[in-house]
Amino acid sequence: MAKLGTHGGAGKLRIIGGQWRSRLIEFDGGGSVRPTPDRVRQTFFDWLMPVIEGARCLDLFAGSGALGLEALSRGARHCTFCETAPRAQAHIKTSLLALGARAYDMVNMDGLYYLSQTWHRYAVVFLDPPFDSDLLGRALADLPKVLAPEGSRICLEWPEGKKPELPAGYEWLREKQAGQVCFGLLTYVPP
């Protein structure tokens, strides 16, 4: 995984590209946070290279915040971090302040509830909910109402052997596996 180590319940991971490249951030290493591995993050951002600059992003089940922080480091215009765990939120806020980030929102709200309430539209969405939940399928069903009208990209992760069924309108653009983590890139075209 992306853990570089833990101390006092905090794990550390490294931003791998952009203006904050090589900067270390802490995450709640003592909790249930499972940061996106470096290899997976690098692949996601290779895929997103043509669209990440200036994009409005949503890190829906933020956890460590690694995907949203990486997006901001690589030129995203704004990122909304949606996370309900207080310790995870505190680590994300600390990282954002330490990096000098300015264009972000931190939302203390259930991800599915957020999708039903927000009026914001996003060009890039990161979906990496806990693997032992049904949140990925439920989020995909509710996500279209918050996607930018054209060219949106959705990065998602799932455990090996549990590939999600896509609701109507989604199309796979890319798909890979790294160890036991499967991941892919989607777009959405209204049916």
Side-chain angles (χ1 to χ4, degrees):
M1 287 298 218
K3 284 186 186 183
L4 292 179
T6 61
H7 63 72
K12 292 189 178 205
L13 59 86
R14 189 178 313 279
I15 304 250
I16 53 177
Q19 67 177 327
W20 301 323
R21 184 174 194 247
S22 298
R23 295 279 301 267
L24 290 176
I25 61 167
E26 289 188 354
F27 64 92
D28 182 14
S32 61
V33 173
R34 176 191 39 80
T36 300
D38 288 358
R39 262 189 339 179
V40 175
R41 276 188 289 134
Q42 182 62 55
T43 302
F44 274 151
F45 286 94
D46 287 348
W47 292 345
L48 292 171
M49 192 179 304
V51 297
I52 198 66
E53 183 79 31
R56 185 172 183 86
C57 302
L58 172 61
D59 194 347
L60 190 60
F61 305 100
S64 69
L67 291 168
L69 290 164
E70 194 78 48
L72 289 171
S73 180
R74 292 170 184 254
R77 177 172 48 98
H78 185 275
C79 187
T80 299
F81 296 85
C82 192
E83 178 58 53
T84 58
R87 286 174 44 141
Q89 284 178 24
H91 282 287
I92 294 169
K93 286 179 187 175
T94 299
S95 295
L96 288 162
L97 291 172
L99 295 169
R102 293 191 173 96
Y104 67 88
D105 292 320
M106 187 75 214
V107 179
N108 178 9
M109 192 179 294
D110 172 78
L112 298 178
Y113 183 72
Y114 179 75
L115 293 178
S116 73
Q117 298 299 311
T118 187
W119 53 270
H120 292 293
R121 298 295 171 261
Y122 299 96
V124 176
V125 177
F126 301 105
L127 290 179
D128 183 18
F131 278 180
D132 61 351
S133 74
D134 66 348
L135 293 171
L136 183 57
R138 293 172 62 199
L140 285 170
D142 291 344
L143 197 60
K145 61 184 133 199
V146 306
L147 295 175
E150 292 183 26
S152 59
R153 298 290 184 264
I154 303 101
C155 296
L156 62 154
E157 296 177 54
W158 65 93
E160 183 179 25
K162 295 188 177 182
K163 184 175 178 179
E165 291 221 15
L166 299 181
Y170 287 101
E171 296 176 14
W172 289 104
L173 297 176
R174 299 279 185 94
E175 189 179 346
K176 278 188 101 168
Q177 183 168 347
Q180 295 181 331
V181 176
C182 299
F183 58 104
L185 182 68
L186 303 174
T187 191
Y188 180 79
V189 179

